[in-house]
Amino acid sequence: MTKNKLATVTLKAGREKSAVRAHPWIFSGAIQSEPSSGIEPGGAVVVRDARGKFVAHGYYNPHSQIRVRTLSLNEAQPWDRVLLERRLKAAIARRDGINRDLTTAVRLVASEADLLPGLIVDTNHNHVVFQILTAGMERMRSDIIELLGALLHPITLVERSDDRNRLKEGLEERKELITGSQDQLVVSCLENGMQLLVDIWNGHKTGFYIDQRDSRKAVGEYARGARVLNLFSYTGGFSVAAALGGASHVVSVDQSAEALELARRNCELNSTHGVKFEFVQADVFDYVRSVAEAGEKYDLVIVDPPKFVTSKAHIDRATRGYKDLNLYALRLLNDHGVLATFSCSGLVTPQLFWQVIFGATVDAPCQLQFLRQLQQAEDHPLLASFPESLYLKGFLGRKIPW
Ligand code: SAH
């Protein structure tokens, strides 16, 4: 594709600043003139400022509020297969530092944070799962499949583009087994030496919450001798980490029976003999109330709920949800017990999350000493130009009586 054939998006005067500073999203409100009709959703465009000066190369979608995702600030390098291949190779190479003797569940491509907006690629011991979230990446789908095959030689390649966010891009959900066998889709991988089963076909999102790797390790370090309550356990990553860290009793709570079944198998797999495991299928909000009323106490409580905040309009309601949960978690803790609490809502900043947890301590009432501040693991990088890339925050703190 030669650049003079590219459709042009022209920005309003002064609205090029964030794109020039490498923020990858251009919203409809910043645009003076859209490309003339004929461009397909997801097609490559060149972005120019109001005076006609080059700003960026990117891809365009008239169905999305984010009209353009920028991919290149180099005029000589448009968005095409060459750039896709280069970025894919570079993202994969950046993960070379992760010790594969201990960890084989790795996010290889983290969308915007790897300069490939709309594309997620995870590997689980070379069973590879990818997700396409934008029309621009959808247009590259056959190249993506070919390149992942050539670069990774996966045993299994699964597309998990069954994500509702695709609707905002005018795309339907898709789930497809591209390479591999339909009856080998629960795969075994390692995380810091733990052996974990991942259901890459029926599991949530791409199958496993790889982003919590560092936090699971941290929790393991505070588990010696502990009675542990793992709320929103999913497939039991934190439960296994706590058991291997020396916990005496681990209760995993989730609403999903399938997730709990895998959690049970994961706990068994790691030869955690002598640890008492319980798996409870329940709504966590109801469960914490009932165990609090029953006077139960724990030494370590993990609170890792799903994303509560999906738009700015929901922040107040969601922060009330976080506060309630954490208030119960604090009440369920013995004095000097440890709380590991998380928010994966990008719209909840670390400062706001601190305030919410502080509010819970006021009502509990107790003091909480933050021992560690936690965030998504390094294969989910934070991009300086893109604050939205920080979405997973957590605190690990010790409850101190008043
Ligand atoms: N801590 C997990 C990831 C948690 S994901 C890990 O380390 O892998 C969030 C989980 O919360 C999902 O398993 C989902 O089934 C569960 N969930 C969501 N809402 C819930 C509710 N109200 N009660 C119980 N579980 C819930």
Side-chain angles (χ1 to χ4, degrees), residues 204 208-209 212 216 232-235 237-238 254-256 259 282-285 304-306:
H204 295 173
F208 184 50
Y209 294 93
Q212 284 287 34
R216 286 189 278 258
F232 306 95
S233 67
Y234 189 50
T235 54
F238 280 107
D254 203 282
Q255 69 188 7
S256 156
D283 181 294
V284 162
F285 290 88
D304 185 24

Side-chain angles (χ1 to χ4, degrees), residues 98-390:
I98 296 176
N99 181 351
R100 302 300 165 97
D101 292 337
L102 293 176
T103 297
T104 58
V106 177
R107 176 147 295 185
L108 298 174
V109 179
S111 200
E112 281 87 353
D114 280 301
L115 314 190
L116 287 170
L119 180 64
I120 287 171
V121 183
D122 287 352
T123 183
N124 306 273
H125 216 105
N126 215 19
H127 300 277
V128 174
V129 185
F130 71 96
Q131 186 174 58
I132 289 176
L133 292 165
T134 59
M137 280 296 163
E138 182 78 9
R139 282 179 72 82
M140 295 294 204
R141 181 172 180 267
S142 55
D143 292 312
I144 290 168
I145 291 172
E146 203 184 303
L147 287 165
L148 290 177
L151 296 172
L152 300 170
H153 308 290
I155 306 164
T156 312
L157 183 61
V158 164
E159 177 172 7
R160 288 294 307 271
S161 300
D162 48 329
D163 187 302
R164 277 211 220 124
N165 284 313
R166 280 172 58 102
L167 296 177
K168 294 185 206 158
E169 289 275 317
L171 300 170
E172 302 206 328
E173 297 185 25
R174 187 193 303 110
K175 181 166 156 176
E176 196 175 316
L177 174 63
I178 292 156
T179 310
S181 153
Q182 190 72 55
D183 44 47
Q184 280 175 23
L185 296 174
V186 178
V187 303
S188 174
C189 58
L190 294 173
E191 179 183 280
N192 285 317
M194 303 191 283
Q195 199 186 333
L196 296 170
L197 296 172
V198 176
D199 186 338
I200 57 176
W201 188 254
N202 292 309
H204 295 173
K205 303 199 173 180
T206 51
F208 184 50
Y209 294 93
I210 296 175
D211 52 5
Q212 284 287 34
R213 184 193 304 125
D214 296 351
S215 303
R216 286 189 278 258
K217 185 159 184 267
V219 158
E221 291 164 14
Y222 287 85
R224 185 147 305 280
R227 249 173 79 80
V228 179
L229 179 62
N230 181 9
L231 300 172
F232 306 95
S233 67
Y234 189 50
T235 54
F238 280 107
S239 303
V240 174
L244 290 174
S248 60
H249 182 173
V250 183
V251 183
S252 307
V253 185
D254 203 282
Q255 69 188 7
S256 156
E258 298 80 41
L260 284 173
E261 174 52 22
L262 218 46
R264 193 185 55 72
R265 289 172 67 190
N266 281 330
C267 289
E268 278 170 6
L269 260 181
N270 288 272
S271 47
T272 40
H273 302 301
V275 184
K276 183 174 173 202
F277 289 111
E278 275 180 69
F279 303 92
V280 182
Q281 187 186 357
D283 181 294
V284 162
F285 290 88
D286 298 338
Y287 183 80
V288 289
R289 272 187 192 93
S290 71
V291 284
E293 274 165 27
E296 294 277 348
K297 293 282 182 192
Y298 300 87
D299 307 306
L300 173 57
V301 177
I302 299 136
V303 187
D304 185 24
K307 186 167 163 180
F308 287 156
V309 192
T310 46
S311 74
K312 284 187 183 155
H314 294 148
I315 288 188
D316 280 355
R317 201 176 63 200
T319 51
R320 278 199 296 279
Y322 283 122
K323 186 185 152 188
D324 265 7
L325 274 174
N326 283 285
L327 174 57
Y328 276 102
L330 287 168
R331 287 186 175 159
L332 287 168
L333 272 179
N334 285 315
D335 286 345
H336 313 292
V338 168
L339 171 70
T341 184
F342 302 92
S343 162
C344 61
S345 305
L347 290 165
V348 175
T349 60
Q351 293 89 325
L352 175 57
F353 194 47
W354 178 310
Q355 273 174 35
V356 170
I357 304 303
F358 169 58
T361 67
V362 170
D363 287 4
C366 67
Q367 285 276 29
L368 189 68
Q369 275 183 335
F370 289 142
L371 305 173
R372 303 232 191 138
Q373 225 174 322
L374 302 166
Q375 67 181 34
Q376 64 217 54
E378 67 183 295
D379 47 350
H380 299 64
L382 313 183
L383 199 59
S385 67
F386 185 56
E388 294 86 343
S389 52
L390 170 60

